[in-house]
Amino acid sequence: MSSHPPVTWIKHPLAASDPDAAGGVVVQDGRIIEAVAAGQTPRTRVEQTFDASRHVLLPGLVNTHHHFYQTLTRAYSPALNKELFPWLTTLYDVWANLDEAQLALASELAMVELLMSGCTTVADHHYVFSGALEHAIDVQVETARRLGVRAALTRGSMSVGREQGGLPPQSVVQDEATILAESTRLIDAYHQRGEGAMVTLALAPCSPFSVSRELMVDSARLAEQKDVRLHTHLAETEDETQYCQKLFGMRPLDYLEATGWLSDRTWLAHGIHFNDDEVARLGQAGTGIAHCPSSNMVLGSGMCRTLELEAAGCPVGLAVDGSASADHSNLAEEMRQAMLIGRLRYSPSQVRHQDVIRWATEGSARCLGRSDIGGLKVGQQADLALFRLDEPRFSGAENPLAALLLCGAHRADRVMVAGQWRVADGQPLDVDLGELMARHNAAAMRLRRAV
């Protein structure tokens, strides 16, 4: 009796994002082993099939930036209707009370919410480390493994608190030696290399103005030494530009370059306020941009120059950002937002639905330094998202692929990660969603009461 995983044909989808896979894909042992042309049958001998004739087939979506813990402070009244800096200072006093039990629930809920939206690779930027949160990343690794999702986790940090002129309270600020030692421990313990990696680690000081210059420089050196990626927020608001000019006497990107971060090892969250020269420099360096349209709109931060950045040579990916600014963790919804705001900045002919799907898959994968995910090509990982068009919002739609964005798809019917189904009939497998939400809501209430 054979013990190898069955060869499975995801058969004849209604539509596929890759024309070469219009007849579906054949998967085995966690990888795509054949892309089937329209109307054809596989050359490979298949052992089982999944009828995808009512599904639109995409590669699993790839999220490039999030703050899982913020699912506990959605639509929080004291922080409503504020721009970035006052929004941050209001919420830091809440987040300073986070503990590991709350973070575990917040991370699980965020990962499940992303999975249900068709996302197979989740990224998180966690930078709040109080005495009660010493093992935050360990908790997230365990949660991702249990759920069976791919996770690009980052060891964030803050070393400049209010006493030094920064924004966060001192209770969530750490010294540089502790940050670097913990970063090294986590990379050695969890970072996986090569194709099919399920957990990767990156170094992610929160922002150039919430850590010291020394930590920026030392993080870049450690990332090169350990061959891991770098991530931070940059050029999110005009206030940030003015703050950096006042503090460092230079614009944010100049400071980034001065600390050794302007490279293809780095991907940046937001990346809104760059001038033409800076766009060219970013493209020449191959630095990635995590586009966060919903968050940028909620906080009134501005519109990312996605087309210019991509044309210059930057990988452009998509991200939901934290659930206290975007207030959701739904990457399918984020695709529609990216298309709409992109057309507002450019034109309908320049920001097509296919372009945005590319950002959410291949572009996002490139931001994370990966080519083994984000596509439907032979040899890539069997990470798939299948959407049905059987809700009233899709009724009458002629182009199934365009309908996902134009009509507002928000939930995948089926999601596969590394060849394993993780969502079926729109529901996460092996997760009691009602019970998770009840515990998560209780944790959110407990966190708010601690202020």
Side-chain angles (χ1 to χ4, degrees), residues 125-263:
H125 184 187
H126 187 81
Y127 52 82
V128 177
F129 289 90
S130 65
L133 269 180
E134 291 179 5
H135 299 100
I137 309 302
D138 305 81
V139 166
Q140 292 186 324
V141 170
E142 192 278 327
T143 303
R145 285 175 173 170
R146 182 160 41 83
L147 293 172
V149 299
R150 262 182 239 285
L153 302 175
T154 71
R155 207 301 179 175
S157 53
M158 294 190 289
S159 66
V160 177
R162 287 176 189 163
E163 291 176 8
Q164 295 85 34
L167 299 178
Q170 296 301 124
S171 60
V172 293
V173 167
Q174 295 179 302
D175 66 86
E176 285 85 349
T178 299
I179 291 165
L180 292 167
E182 267 297 285
S183 298
T184 302
R185 178 187 72 81
L186 290 164
I187 293 166
D188 291 345
Y190 300 121
H191 182 68
Q192 297 175 343
R193 302 180 186 278
E195 293 189 1
M198 292 298 291
V199 175
T200 58
L201 266 292
L203 304 182
C206 180
S207 65
F209 50 84
S210 59
V211 299
S212 66
R213 184 188 182 102
E214 291 73 26
L215 185 61
M216 289 291 289
V217 171
D218 289 344
S219 294
R221 286 177 181 153
L222 182 60
E224 188 169 1
Q225 177 191 333
K226 292 289 188 180
D227 191 23
V228 297
R229 295 184 74 74
L230 289 163
H231 183 52
T232 192
H233 299 94
L234 200 81
E236 184 175 358
T237 65
E238 293 285 16
D239 284 351
E240 176 192 326
T241 302
Q242 293 161 15
Y243 192 91
C244 283
Q245 286 176 320
K246 182 180 176 182
L247 206 62
F248 309 123
M250 59 180 84
R251 288 173 58 84
L253 189 70
D254 296 325
Y255 182 72
L256 194 80
E257 184 170 26
T259 55
W261 275 63
L262 188 58
S263 76

Side-chain angles (χ1 to χ4, degrees), residues 65-364:
H65 183 69
H66 201 337
H67 308 292
F68 292 162
Y69 73 89
Q70 291 183 14
T71 60
L72 296 165
T73 51
R74 301 190 216 241
Y76 179 61
S77 292
L80 296 180
N81 310 320
K82 287 180 163 65
E83 294 181 356
L84 178 66
F85 279 17
W87 173 85
L88 272 174
T89 51
T90 301
L91 280 163
Y92 273 140
D93 290 327
V94 183
W95 299 334
N97 296 303
L98 271 166
D99 61 35
E100 284 175 12
Q102 291 166 336
L103 179 69
L105 286 165
S107 298
E108 182 173 3
L109 188 99
M111 291 184 200
V112 166
E113 193 179 351
L114 283 164
L115 255 182
M116 292 172 69
S117 74
C119 181
T120 53
T121 298
V122 302
D124 193 51
H125 184 187
H126 187 81
Y127 52 82
V128 177
F129 289 90
S130 65
L133 269 180
E134 291 179 5
H135 299 100
I137 309 302
D138 305 81
V139 166
Q140 292 186 324
V141 170
E142 192 278 327
T143 303
R145 285 175 173 170
R146 182 160 41 83
L147 293 172
V149 299
R150 262 182 239 285
L153 302 175
T154 71
R155 207 301 179 175
S157 53
M158 294 190 289
S159 66
V160 177
R162 287 176 189 163
E163 291 176 8
Q164 295 85 34
L167 299 178
Q170 296 301 124
S171 60
V172 293
V173 167
Q174 295 179 302
D175 66 86
E176 285 85 349
T178 299
I179 291 165
L180 292 167
E182 267 297 285
S183 298
T184 302
R185 178 187 72 81
L186 290 164
I187 293 166
D188 291 345
Y190 300 121
H191 182 68
Q192 297 175 343
R193 302 180 186 278
E195 293 189 1
M198 292 298 291
V199 175
T200 58
L201 266 292
L203 304 182
C206 180
S207 65
F209 50 84
S210 59
V211 299
S212 66
R213 184 188 182 102
E214 291 73 26
L215 185 61
M216 289 291 289
V217 171
D218 289 344
S219 294
R221 286 177 181 153
L222 182 60
E224 188 169 1
Q225 177 191 333
K226 292 289 188 180
D227 191 23
V228 297
R229 295 184 74 74
L230 289 163
H231 183 52
T232 192
H233 299 94
L234 200 81
E236 184 175 358
T237 65
E238 293 285 16
D239 284 351
E240 176 192 326
T241 302
Q242 293 161 15
Y243 192 91
C244 283
Q245 286 176 320
K246 182 180 176 182
L247 206 62
F248 309 123
M250 59 180 84
R251 288 173 58 84
L253 189 70
D254 296 325
Y255 182 72
L256 194 80
E257 184 170 26
T259 55
W261 275 63
L262 188 58
S263 76
D264 60 2
R265 190 184 295 282
T266 300
W267 86 102
L268 304 170
H270 302 285
I272 298 170
H273 298 284
F274 294 127
N275 60 35
D276 290 348
D277 172 67
E278 290 167 339
V279 168
R281 287 158 59 198
L282 284 159
Q284 191 170 19
T287 301
I289 304 295
H291 178 34
C292 308
S294 290
S295 175
N296 295 347
M297 286 186 269
V298 169
L299 295 173
S301 302
M303 289 190 262
C304 180
R305 301 177 66 183
T306 49
L307 296 190
E308 292 98 324
L309 286 159
E310 193 171 44
C314 293
V316 172
L318 209 57
V320 298
D321 200 14
S323 296
S325 58
D327 295 280
H328 68 76
S329 305
N330 191 307
L331 200 53
E333 290 184 3
E334 207 63 53
M335 286 198 295
R336 185 170 195 266
Q337 297 284 56
M339 183 184 71
L340 295 180
I341 197 171
R343 291 183 175 191
L344 189 62
R345 182 177 184 100
Y346 303 104
S347 74
S349 62
Q350 290 176 291
V351 183
R352 306 169 304 156
H353 63 276
Q354 301 100 315
D355 299 318
V356 178
I357 291 170
R358 185 185 70 250
W359 292 342
T361 53
E362 179 191 348
S364 285

